[in-house]
Amino acid sequence: MRDASPTAPSGPLPPGSTVNYTAVGASDATGHGASVECVPLTDCPQGTGYVPVTARELRARGFTVTLLNLGIPTAVIGRDFQSLGRQYNHTIVGNFIDDEMPFVRNSTLVTVFAGGNEVNVITSALGNGAGGSDPAGYIDSQVRAFGSDYATLISGIRDRAAAGVHIIVLNVPNFGALPYLARASTSQRQAAQRAAVGMTTTAVNPLAGAQNVSVVDIMCDARTYQSSNYSSDGFHPNDSGYAFIAAEIVNAATASSYPAPRSTCPQMTAIP
């Protein structure tokens, strides 16, 4: 599924080491849509979302894992998207920069998944008239705002976490091609695609060249778009969807090298 890109300069977790794992995310981190969802800020050892599954797999491989799941359902990356969402009647109870980033102290492994709620905020704003006669320009400006927030988030994690923290980020899948938008208008699906692809290619994928950062390429992974990997809402994964994400995270954390994300793939242009 990946091309022959250079591998990111991220070393594996030392075998048998103690891992202080912190998950930064929204309802994905708590495992919404899974058969066993977790309450925020709990270890939740029986959970079937990708965060507890990742922790269990690392323990099975001999690591001692302490888990802090900071996931806040409905959260977005920064205060700007939180304000934009509330402007258009989205329930958003927090953001990663203000409400999650400060608590990654002493973490040796951090996962980050942002983008889904932000894409929905952008398309909702467009549907309510934002962008006027230039919706593409509006989307691109919001992608730039996401990129600025993302840089702030990663920098803040580095400043607060343990020295040499391994950061594993999931890029943003093409939400326009996910099941929950299957019956949406073509313009809405195209807008979601433009936002998601822009976030992935300009904000997330470039981090693959950064020290101790791995990018899990769910944008270009065909499994991301299989309806069988989604819960009934078509937006959140089910157990099988979360399982493949967890497997990729574990691979990125433990392998001697991990492939960089693809720069192009058919999934980026799924909605013509």
Side-chain angles (χ1 to χ4, degrees):
M1 288 175 286
R2 296 182 177 86
D3 56 15
S5 303
T7 55
S10 302
L13 297 172
S17 61
T18 296
V19 179
N20 294 324
Y21 170 29
T22 300
V24 174
S27 54
D28 59 281
T30 62
H32 190 73
S35 60
V36 181
E37 185 175 357
C38 297
V39 176
L41 301 177
T42 61
D43 188 329
C44 191
Q46 302 305 315
T48 52
Y50 73 86
V51 173
V53 172
T54 295
R56 284 202 300 275
E57 179 58 25
L58 289 173
R59 288 170 181 142
R61 295 190 182 201
F63 295 95
T64 299
V65 180
T66 299
L67 173 61
L68 176 60
N69 189 342
L70 296 174
I72 301 174
T74 75
V76 289
I77 192 167
R79 195 177 303 173
D80 48 353
F81 282 95
Q82 189 172 6
S83 297
L84 182 63
R86 288 175 172 173
Q87 181 180 345
Y88 293 104
N89 299 315
H90 277 258
T91 299
I92 299 175
V93 300
N95 71 76
F96 297 2
I97 293 172
D98 292 332
D99 303 312
E100 300 188 31
M101 182 181 74
F103 301 101
V104 300
R105 298 185 185 281
N106 302 317
S107 304
T108 57
L109 173 66
V110 176
T111 58
V112 177
F113 189 16
N117 290 338
E118 293 81 356
V119 167
N120 287 339
V121 165
I122 292 169
T123 57
S124 177
L126 287 169
N128 283 277
S133 62
D134 186 16
Y138 180 80
I139 293 169
D140 294 346
S141 70
Q142 294 302 321
V143 167
R144 289 191 293 271
F146 179 86
S148 178
D149 285 347
Y150 214 94
T152 297
L153 177 64
I154 298 301
S155 176
I157 290 171
R158 287 190 184 282
D159 289 345
R160 291 164 175 78
V165 59
H166 191 151
I167 302 172
I168 299 176
V169 297
L170 283 68
N171 63 16
V172 186
N174 183 347
F175 282 95
L178 294 194
Y180 83 108
L181 288 182
R183 294 182 176 85
S185 67
T186 299
S187 61
Q188 183 178 353
R189 298 179 76 198
Q190 289 171 333
Q193 174 174 273
R194 186 181 186 97
V197 173
M199 291 172 179
T200 279
T201 57
T202 66
V204 187
N205 283 1
L207 290 170
Q211 185 65 34
N212 292 336
V213 176
S214 300
V215 178
V216 174
D217 190 8
I218 59 174
M219 166 64 82
C220 293
D221 193 323
R223 294 172 293 181
T224 301
Y225 305 94
Q226 294 173 358
S227 60
S228 59
N229 282 328
Y230 284 87
S231 65
S232 59
D233 67 10
F235 180 74
H236 294 91
N238 57 18
D239 288 0
S240 61
Y242 283 126
F244 96 73
I245 293 172
E248 288 298 324
I249 292 171
V250 170
N251 189 22
T254 59
S256 58
S257 63
Y258 188 75
R262 294 173 61 175
S263 58
T264 61
C265 62
Q267 290 82 2
M268 291 184 180
T269 55
I271 312 301

